[in-house]
Amino acid sequence: MPTSNKKKRKREKELSKMSDLRQQMKMPPLFSKEVHQTALSLMKSLDATAKSKKSVAKTSLKTYIRDQTHLSKDLNFGITVQTVADKPSVCVVIDSTRKMDDAEVKKCIKANFKESEISLCDASSLGITGSFQVRLDSVDGPLIAIVFRDLFTSEEVSGSLHMQDLHESCERVWNKGCEADVHPTSSTIWPQFKSQVCMKSAGFTSNNVKEIVGIESSSKTGTGSSVVVKYQNSKGAIVNWRLSSALNRLTHDLTRCDSTESKLLVKKMSKIYSEVCPLWAKSRGATSTDLKHLDSALQQSSNLKISTMVLSNQHSIGVHRDPRSNLPAAICGHYSTTVEHEKVKGGRLFLMEYLFDLSYKSGDLVFMDGNIAHGVTTVANSEVKRFSMIMFSTFNRQKGMCAPGNFKGYYSK
């Protein structure tokens, strides 16, 4: 039987299951026959589009790797040892001309990669085993990353496990347009129709949805980059519901950390964050006035948020830039697995631009410039999950996916 017929029958079977689910939820029929056919056609085009975009992205990155490989030998490292947050760290200096061309960045955005598909420069290959920082052009240049090794105590590390428990207790596995979602495919779209949590979080309740009137691509260029379901609500208005890949991520206020261990971890992260941010700002030319505004902002805990995220072979994350900010993101976490550590593949944080590995283990803390395109290698083993905590400041942070180029805003209000 041709593959296309198998997929069609599989989707028809899934549609039947969705219909049964909606009956259990006392919700109206999901699709008319016409909408059903449109959905099947759209899913087929989504698969083709996603495959094409990933192919273009990987080709672009491989070209960049090929062109930049010879520059790896020109990296200066171990030039000086600087103390950051009371910990000495080796300074790695990278030539800013290695930055990826903006047009190429656009091609690579939202694609995901396996470790075997990416050649990275990492600290260990430079002979660095401890903490290190990465700067552009000189030892006084802009900081783009700091990696603190073995920063947390065992009790603080266990706080990460408690945060994972908190995440799993309220996770939604739902995303209505995260800046880091990968290109939707039929395999990531259809499960959302079948999930009661996803449907309810999008407003699909028996009291609200009167009729599904259509399903179509929301891409203005016709590339099928996302899917929109149109439905008529209880008031008769037509609502557009945007679907995208599921990304297992939640954002919390610091007050959500309710265990002793998680409070200790977050307190340590907050302390180091407040120490690193002024250094980060100074490396980017912040004035004394800017630093006063920054100090005031850092003293307001309400400006600090934590995102928690679980990555697995079911939930991956594409290459992306974070919402624009002049302050770094602080990242820690752990692997949740029964697999031997040396056999764990994937889940490695890396800077796509400059091709630098920033992977971390339990006990480490990474500061990173989110304005630089970055990603996480795809987790290959179904038994492996990577849990991450990302602390960031909302101070002067812009919303939405940022265009190529570093943030040009101010530290002052």
Side-chain angles (χ1 to χ4, degrees):
M1 182 185 299
T3 303
S4 59
N5 289 340
K6 287 183 178 180
K7 286 185 177 180
K8 185 176 180 179
R9 290 194 177 186
K10 182 179 179 180
R11 288 169 187 159
E12 287 176 340
K13 186 176 181 181
E14 289 174 340
L15 282 171
S16 177
K17 290 181 179 179
M18 288 190 290
S19 177
D20 293 340
L21 173 63
R22 291 178 65 81
Q23 288 179 12
Q24 295 172 19
M25 295 173 66
K26 297 181 180 180
M27 296 175 67
L30 182 61
F31 294 133
S32 65
K33 184 177 180 180
E34 292 76 13
V35 173
H36 176 182
Q37 293 302 320
T38 302
L40 290 175
S41 175
L42 180 58
M43 291 302 104
K44 184 177 180 181
S45 68
L46 270 177
D47 286 340
T49 299
K51 184 177 181 180
S52 173
K53 287 191 173 184
K54 287 180 180 179
S55 177
V56 169
K58 289 179 180 179
T59 298
S60 298
L61 187 55
K62 286 178 180 178
T63 300
Y64 174 66
I65 292 171
R66 183 195 65 208
D67 294 342
Q68 299 295 327
T69 297
H70 69 281
L71 294 176
S72 297
K73 297 179 181 179
D74 297 330
L75 278 174
N76 297 313
F77 67 96
I79 294 177
T80 185
V81 175
Q82 298 184 352
T83 300
V84 180
D86 297 326
K87 291 203 69 173
S89 60
V90 176
C91 182
V92 179
V93 179
I94 293 182
D95 187 346
S96 60
T97 59
R98 299 182 71 220
K99 184 176 176 64
M100 199 174 211
D101 179 78
D102 286 344
E104 292 301 307
V105 172
K106 289 181 179 179
K107 293 180 182 178
C108 293
I109 289 295
K110 295 188 179 181
N112 47 8
F113 301 89
K114 298 177 182 178
E115 286 185 23
S116 59
E117 296 171 324
I118 300 179
S119 298
L120 298 170
C121 182
D122 58 42
S124 60
S125 68
L126 299 175
I128 301 171
T129 57
S131 302
F132 64 93
Q133 53 183 285
V134 184
R135 292 178 181 256
L136 295 180
D137 297 328
S138 74
V139 292
D140 298 316
L143 276 164
I144 61 173
I146 303 176
V147 178
F148 293 110
R149 299 296 187 199
D150 302 315
L151 183 68
F152 301 118
T153 66
S154 57
E155 188 175 18
E156 289 165 345
V157 167
S158 67
S160 181
L161 298 172
H162 285 268
M163 288 299 292
Q164 183 175 3
D165 290 339
L166 171 64
H167 177 99
E168 292 176 349
S169 70
C170 56
E171 67 183 344
R172 292 294 180 267
V173 195
W174 174 248
N175 158 40
K176 290 186 278 186
C178 164
E179 70 279 359
D181 63 350
V182 295
H183 295 294
T185 63
S186 61
S187 62
T188 56
I189 291 296
W190 287 113
Q192 296 181 53
F193 283 117
K194 294 187 291 183
S195 168
Q196 293 188 44
V197 171
C198 291
M199 294 172 77
K200 286 183 177 180
S201 68
F204 269 69
T205 64
S206 57
N207 295 327
N208 189 47
V209 179
K210 185 176 181 181
E211 181 185 9
I212 303 290
V213 297
I215 179 170
E216 59 187 43
S217 167
S218 67
S219 173
K220 295 180 180 179
T221 59
T223 57
S225 60
S226 59
V227 174
V228 168
V229 175
K230 294 178 178 291
Y231 68 90
Q232 186 180 40
N233 65 18
S234 56
K235 297 181 180 179
I238 300 298
V239 179
N240 292 330
W241 171 34
R242 182 181 182 274
L243 286 171
S244 60
S245 321
L247 184 63
N248 196 340
R249 186 176 72 175
L250 294 166
T251 299
H252 317 267
D253 292 326
L254 301 193
T255 54
R256 292 295 303 277
C257 307
D258 53 2
S259 71
T260 301
E261 294 83 356
S262 62
K263 287 179 180 178
L264 285 173
L265 175 59
V266 170
K267 182 179 180 179
K268 182 72 154 291
M269 289 180 71
S270 301
K271 179 179 181 295
I272 303 300
Y273 193 87
S274 65
E275 294 174 359
V276 166
C277 280
L279 299 175
W280 199 272
K282 286 180 182 179
S283 76
R284 284 164 163 72
T287 66
S288 57
T289 301
D290 292 334
L291 293 174
K292 287 181 180 179
H293 283 283
L294 177 58
D295 181 63
S296 177
L298 291 172
Q299 292 181 31
Q300 300 177 39
S301 60
S302 59
N303 285 328
L304 286 180
K305 305 290 182 183
I306 287 182
S307 283
T308 54
M309 179 168 62
V310 176
L311 296 180
S312 67
N313 66 340
Q314 297 297 316
H315 298 99
S316 58
I317 187 169
V319 171
H320 63 284
R321 284 188 169 102
D322 296 338
R324 289 185 175 188
S325 174
N326 247 336
L327 296 177
I331 309 164
C332 67
H334 64 271
Y335 282 96
S336 177
T337 176
T338 57
V339 180
E340 294 178 26
H341 183 72
E342 59 268 19
K343 295 181 180 179
V344 172
K345 297 293 183 183
R348 290 173 60 184
L349 175 67
F350 68 96
L351 296 179
M352 188 186 75
E353 300 178 77
Y354 308 115
L355 293 174
F356 205 90
D357 181 13
L358 297 178
S359 55
Y360 54 92
K361 65 183 187 305
S362 296
D364 295 346
L365 181 63
V366 176
F367 284 83
M368 182 191 69
D369 182 354
N371 300 297
I372 297 175
H374 57 280
V376 178
T377 55
T378 303
V379 176
N381 196 311
S382 60
E383 298 179 65
V384 176
K385 290 183 179 180
R386 200 202 74 170
F387 176 78
S388 297
M389 291 175 56
I390 304 101
M391 177 175 285
F392 61 93
S393 174
T394 58
F395 176 64
N396 277 4
R397 188 175 191 252
Q398 298 180 3
K399 294 183 178 180
M401 179 77 179
C402 62
N406 286 338
F407 180 70
K408 302 296 183 183
Y410 298 96
Y411 289 95
S412 304
K413 288 289 187 182

